[in-house]
Amino acid sequence: MEKMDDNSSNGSPEKEVVEVESVTIRFAGDSGDGMQLTGDRFTSASALAGNDLRTFPDFPAEIRAPIGTLAGVSAFQINFSSEDIHTPGDALDALVAMNPAAFKANIGDLKRGGILIVNTDNFTEKNFQKAEIDSNPLDDEKLRGNYQVFEVNVTDLTRRALEDMDLQSNLADRCKNFFALGLMYWMYTRPMEPTKEWIKQKFGNRSEIVEANTRAMEAGYHFGENTEAMASHYIVPEATYPAGTYRSISGNVAVAYGFIAAARKLGLTLFWGAYPITPASDVLHELSRYKNFGVRTFQAEDEIAAVSSAIGASYAGALGVTCSSGPGIALKGEAIGLAVMTEIPLVVLNVQRAGPSTGMPTKTEQSDLLMSMYGRNGESPVPILAASTPSDCYDVAIEASRIAVKYMTPVMLLSDGYLANGSEPWLIPAEADIPEMKAVFREDPEGFMPYDRDPETLSRPWTIPGTPGLQHRIGGIEKQDGSGNISYEPENHDHMVRLRAEKVAGIAKDIPPVEVMGEDSGKVLVVGWGGTFGAIAAAVEALQARGASVSQVHLRYLNPFPANFEEVMRKFDKVLVPELNLGQLVKVIRSEYVIDAISYSKVQGKPFMVSEHITKIEELL
Amino acid sequence: MEKMDDNSSNGSPEKEVVEVESVTIRFAGDSGDGMQLTGDRFTSASALAGNDLRTFPDFPAEIRAPIGTLAGVSAFQINFSSEDIHTPGDALDALVAMNPAAFKANIGDLKRGGILIVNTDNFTEKNFQKAEIDSNPLDDEKLRGNYQVFEVNVTDLTRRALEDMDLQSNLADRCKNFFALGLMYWMYTRPMEPTKEWIKQKFGNRSEIVEANTRAMEAGYHFGENTEAMASHYIVPEATYPAGTYRSISGNVAVAYGFIAAARKLGLTLFWGAYPITPASDVLHELSRYKNFGVRTFQAEDEIAAVSSAIGASYAGALGVTCSSGPGIALKGEAIGLAVMTEIPLVVLNVQRAGPSTGMPTKTEQSDLLMSMYGRNGESPVPILAASTPSDCYDVAIEASRIAVKYMTPVMLLSDGYLANGSEPWLIPAEADIPEMKAVFREDPEGFMPYDRDPETLSRPWTIPGTPGLQHRIGGIEKQDGSGNISYEPENHDHMVRLRAEKVAGIAKDIPPVEVMGEDSGKVLVVGWGGTFGAIAAAVEALQARGASVSQVHLRYLNPFPANFEEVMRKFDKVLVPELNLGQLVKVIRSEYVIDAISYSKVQGKPFMVSEHITKIEELL
Amino acid sequence: MATETKTNGVGLKLSRKDFQSDQTVRWCPGCGDYSILAGVQKVLPELGLPREKYVFVGGIGCAARFPYYMNTYGFHTIHGRAPAFATGIKVVNPELSVWVITGDGDALSIGGNHLIHAMRRNIGINILLFNNRVYGLTKGQYSPTSQVGTKTKSSPVGSIDYPLHPISLAIGAECTFIARTVDRDQKHMAKILEMAARHEGTSFVEILQNCIVFNDGAWHQYTEKGLKEQNVLYLEEGQPLVYGSEDDRRGILINDFKSEIVSADSPGIAVHREDDEDGAYAHLLSRIEVNGGPMPIGIFRNFQRPPYEAMLEDQVTAAQLQKKMSVDDLLHSGDTWEHK
Amino acid sequence: MATETKTNGVGLKLSRKDFQSDQTVRWCPGCGDYSILAGVQKVLPELGLPREKYVFVGGIGCAARFPYYMNTYGFHTIHGRAPAFATGIKVVNPELSVWVITGDGDALSIGGNHLIHAMRRNIGINILLFNNRVYGLTKGQYSPTSQVGTKTKSSPVGSIDYPLHPISLAIGAECTFIARTVDRDQKHMAKILEMAARHEGTSFVEILQNCIVFNDGAWHQYTEKGLKEQNVLYLEEGQPLVYGSEDDRRGILINDFKSEIVSADSPGIAVHREDDEDGAYAHLLSRIEVNGGPMPIGIFRNFQRPPYEAMLEDQVTAAQLQKKMSVDDLLHSGDTWEHK
Ligand SMILES: Cc1ncc(C[n+]2csc(CCOP(=O)(O)OP(=O)(O)O)c2C)c(N)n1
Ligand SMILES: Cc1ncc(C[n+]2csc(CCOP(=O)(O)OP(=O)(O)O)c2C)c(N)n1
Ligand code: SF4
Ligand code: SF4
Ligand SMILES: [Mg+2]
Ligand SMILES: [Mg+2]
């Protein structure tokens, strides 16, 4: 393929349109290049085009790493399809690389024969150095053999498109992502209108920016249309969806909505005690916008104050929630133990990231399960739930709130960086669909005892300050069952330790059994939890389609396990547990059931690929 | 038996002396009654008498709970014997109860036919009320049927003995514990001389106190000698001991000595970062007295500062140790994760107490094992060691230091309230016996890389500030192996996570295999860890003596397990794991080896009794 | 704040006894905590709130067990974090009268950060710091208020940590009500506690408290007859800074940011004012005793600014008026599309 | 402290470049942190210590990554705890020159307690607080130094938390050296850093730093030509408190614990003195800007008292002289007995 410039592209736009089922593309550039925004817009356009889709934003830990370096590469991946899909895709059909660093960091994920679009204006000696590349990779003939390479002078073309606007060149250059977006819209036959609307709304008060971005996008689109180099483009038909109204949702927004919905349903004020930390901060940001729902967000001085204030809030009759990520959760253990002892409702949301220690803050991982189980002194059992997709974050937030309030217990809720920032289309549920639940405050002084128990749930009464006649005192010292008075009596302690465990274990009766996706017996059962759902499901479905004897169970409840879990596992020859850690769930399964479950572990700060699961499962079949 | 007063006791001291093998006695009274001191003195006298012995002090959480109440009862138990013993004893041969509350709280532990000595002066209506007793229990005929009851007006007799001394009555009354001590010295034929010496040394500058206490003790002794009511007394012959110099040692003192010894051996300054907490504070107190060994104790503002300062100290080339108990350890998780990531030597000593939350601070428990394993975000493996007897605390402190320094890793060291305060005779080891170990600071700039590894230990070089030419930077973000530079590279992270796990797992090659006490195959293997050692050993030995097929393994290393552990377990039909928690070690064994080990759990804030183990093991035989 | 005492709508006048719980008090006999408990139990009936509106929040320590002994709502939490728990409680229900009871270790050692953050936010809670200059509950280590050279179990040759001075720190953290009183002076305590309770925003009272077991006599100069007359400087709004026994009255002269002790009839004796928003004067007062002068007790500083919870309520109310939304509205916000 | 720069015994004069590490600096282009880095790298060669004697300790935050860029020993620790790590380092090796680099969130939010405890102990470390009034690394939430009403992602309708003022707090915590400087004023910064480094005990320097991405212009009044002349008050020992442009010189009059802005030629303008051990004057200075006056930069307070590590060394040395012991002696201390 020849080097192109825009003069060469006067041909008529009579181009072949190829229909395809699924496409995975990735925009990659410097942190300052606006790749996340570009990806978001492409996602929105694809949603409106009726595709099923999943996204995977991936950005650096630095606010603005040095321009042009590998550390500064920011990428956004989207998989869109006319069929049901579960993941943002494994290998890429198309890669847009805005500079050499983005090229270098991402080229390995492009399929053979895939489309590579590079912004040649950035392929300069200086940038090769920054990207630690010896020579211009575009000069490498092998590249052209492996991929469909389109060299586009994006910066220059964008500048030209805006030439007559008299903008600072710096501003013109900042529109080049819209050029790339326009080009991809043409490539995948998406309408530009909704994005134009969005640009207007977003930059409404700065008309020159509206115009510049719009023009840049159109220039990109028309470039695709006109350049001879691009002979064909693609269309991904609408997916068949259950009827209804949809939106795109990320895990962090979904979880925020879930807590608002739960608090409404319960008739409680939502109190959110949090200290900022990546990747959990966005939940705080989202919720701080909903004071109109009575939400009180409290940006605490640290994570310990955050959890303590949330416990105080619940004690006073609110739905107290605290949210953080790994290192911040580690700090909360002591206070969570107090909530266990005083039996106060609390949800602790952990948006997990790669550890240990500071680790890789913007990268995903599932390595806090065992800390959730055991990261407190003494015997301090808590229910643990995990979300499996971005939209599932909404449902688990509601369910965690239900359990916390019904059982007067802290609940650990696990999300992760992948779910938090990834998005998918969501058939918007109705408020009326929220499961039944209620918060009851004890008000009757007759026979009141703070540690009196509901015989069914083993829960104690929630009795909030301000209630006349029910003054009482609680605390973290062991207490007599019933009266709640301090007690150092040996038998009472034994009784209470077992009772607290029993209360949590008893939740198994109140949660749905695990559902087997596929045959309910066979060779391999793949057991997963959390954000690995999509990739496992895609792999299992693919193998099932080929007739393999493999089924899937995905756990929402990690403590207690659903009542039928053991029985389900015993019907398979092998149990495989893929996790983005060194094998944490598998440890619990093995110890609980003495089943020789097999761990499949990946700890790279990024999600599994579907193909990895397929390979692993095939090994066991 | 008749109510006695001292006038009745003019008879000649021609009393029967009965030789017995082992005796367990308990002094119980109000917190203000000086029972701990009494117990300590009796212990010392018994040690000098050449008995083997174990002690168990048990005191309330309050500094001074209201006088006469159950909450205020303080007790001290000692088992002394002419044979090897392992525990402070199960049921009591003799109980001294200084008031009704002490009577009520302890009478249940007295053997049928055992000796009960009560201070009748305190058996008043008011004290019955405080102890929540309806009527005078001494009036109950059954009592006399079950025990040898001696009613002694201790307070009155003490006052009379000091009558001519013109003391404030308050001071005279405070000597009544010495009367009780004297009586028990007579009862068990112990010489008073060493205690007289001790009184002189202790109260040397207040001669009236010296005289009052001495006289009170003599009065008690002579009361025993003279009263007709006490027809016989006992002698426990010397035990046969390996030759050498002995002392009595408690776990908290032993552990302090162990760290001093380790630091000396390593040629390092011992830095102790701690924040006071029961039952760990005494280690800080002990060490703060040894500035002459160069020990730097730092009473930090909280537990996080304590561990952080200790990590800073190790970073700068000291042996950094931090010490706390459950709730305080929970706070240290995040910082320990940093030590894992930066691979800095650190020992974290946890003197466990009953949890969760504040729990029962003065009571013992083993419920922090899983927190030690998993109480940190991300995959952050650390070696874990546990002490099994008070004197063993010395050895494990040395061993933990050795591992921390050799493998550049934080080490969790578990003790508990029972070991911390309990004591036993100790054949004093020599400094020359300390195992070989050394601390090497990297000084050679040639080819220096901060994460270069020793191929055998996988340990990185310890390179301390001040070393010319080796300036480098470390931190909690994931790092490239070798260079130690920040790296977000997926494969590197996976490599590093596994490498850190492998480094810790590799310690298995450097520790002794587990030793089986008894036959190395059979019906039941009892696997224990920590402070349960003595009771399990006593039970297993007793059953072995009766020919039962039972053996014992007691683990010092809980992570990694010794290399032969699985093999050893597989040679038994059943593996029983007794623990003072809900079954924490058993969880790890089951998940590690998929062995259906059986948990035997007691969570009462107090140690197992030998008889409990015997019953449980017999069930399985 | 309601001014009439109501329980279930029935007006009734409460007494000290009404605020005593059924729990046996477990402090050492002779501990200064007893008098503070009595003082609080005597003041609350004067405040006109029913019992159920009070919440006492303790951290961990001898002092922090205080909530058990009050017939109100009580929460014995964890070490050092009581101000954070209290913040959550107050934010959720600003009508409650929330009291934090804390010791010098609980408040200033492990809990120092929560203390200063509660103060700077001006959250409407009352913080009583029982300062006995020692860790009582853990049996007698030196604390952040112990003087240099204090010999304890953990400092056998004397502590080397310079102490924190709670009042100076509170000024640095911009607390809006700062006072000091003494366990042994019930009348003074009552007055201060009442003022503290009525203050909107954070009120902070350091109470000099005797730990009879581990630090007996730490404040004897200021509590014992014959000594206190010479050593206590009562701060009274609008009154000159004078103190001392009848025959040896002295006064404080302030000049160029230094205080000086002079005879009470010297000219220019400083006159006390509580409304010192800048805090420099109050800060100087807090150093008088540190420099070997008398111990000022009373209100160091007292000024108004809107408390945190009130500003939060305002924001919530404004948002609710401005934009009513259902959960359905929320879920449908942003871009949506239809599938048929 | 050694005054000659030695590495492996070879005397050599170091330059700024010698203190630059091989790591790519990863702050945003235009971030104020760059100038502070340059400032520090320029000052260290003046101090006469070899590179290996320096340890830079960071918490977490943009600022706290500073240690990576220094060719010295560096430890990037965890959020808020840097002063505690630094304390351990200094205690073990008092010969090291230990620097804590921290941000307003790291130092004052999560780390407030360690900060005040380091200060009150007077541990011999240098603490540089880069105050940009925002959480930079976590992308722009308001911080404990943000002014009320600050709109950020976590405070969309404006923050309601009153800010902490680092200098006021440091006075409350009795820090012995307290100063403020500005990222954009290299000359002033150099002077202050050198003084801080030479101070024994804790030295604390607040550096006004611009976060170009999340809080651009927070300090423009004090850094931009044309503005700073009017708004910065330079504190100089023995010099009157005057500031302002040539044609509008003003001065600070202090009267009865209140400051007032008057024309520079008015009588009675206050004269600066660093040696304010009581702290009331320094405290008042720290309020001038809060009350809408100019921003004082320079040394607020500077006095001597023995640092923690020195007192500890003294105790250790005394103990070692007094009672030499072997481990064998230790193990045999107390009651022992023999078995044959
Ligand atoms: C996390 C944690 N660390 C340490 C302790 C142990 N502890 C309990 S109270 C206390 C200090 C008490 O001192 P202070 O606050 O002055 O109260 P006082 O007992 O003197 O009234 C300490 C260190 C604890 N309970 N929890
Ligand atoms: C325990 C913990 N909590 C929260 C975070 C997230 N976090 C990192 S830096 C930071 C605040 C940074 O603000 P500041 O100290 O002002 O530094 P700046 O980035 O502005 O220089 C936060 C909240 C963390 N890394 N660790
Ligand atoms: S130890 Fe001290 S503070 Fe605690 S209850 Fe006893 S006297 Fe009071
Ligand atoms: S976010 Fe702000 S403080 Fe952080 S590097 Fe960028 S400009 Fe500097
Ligand atoms: Mg105290
Ligand atoms: Mg900042």
Side-chain angles (χ1 to χ4, degrees), chain B residues 63, chain C residues 27-28 31 33 62 132 136-137 209-214:
Chain B
I63 305 306
Chain C
W27 289 310
C28 306
C31 175
D33 291 350
C62 295
N132 55 15
L137 192 71
Q209 175 247 329
N210 192 41
C211 170
I212 197 166
V213 174
F214 295 111

Side-chain angles (χ1 to χ4, degrees), chain A residues 9 61 93 96 101-102 108 116 192 229 277 301 312 421 435 444 447 499 573 587 605 612:
Chain A
S9 55
D93 296 299
V96 177
L116 171 67
M192 283 186 288
I277 188 167
E301 59 270 26
N421 295 318
D444 182 5
L499 184 72
D573 299 345
K587 277 209 169 69
E612 290 170 329

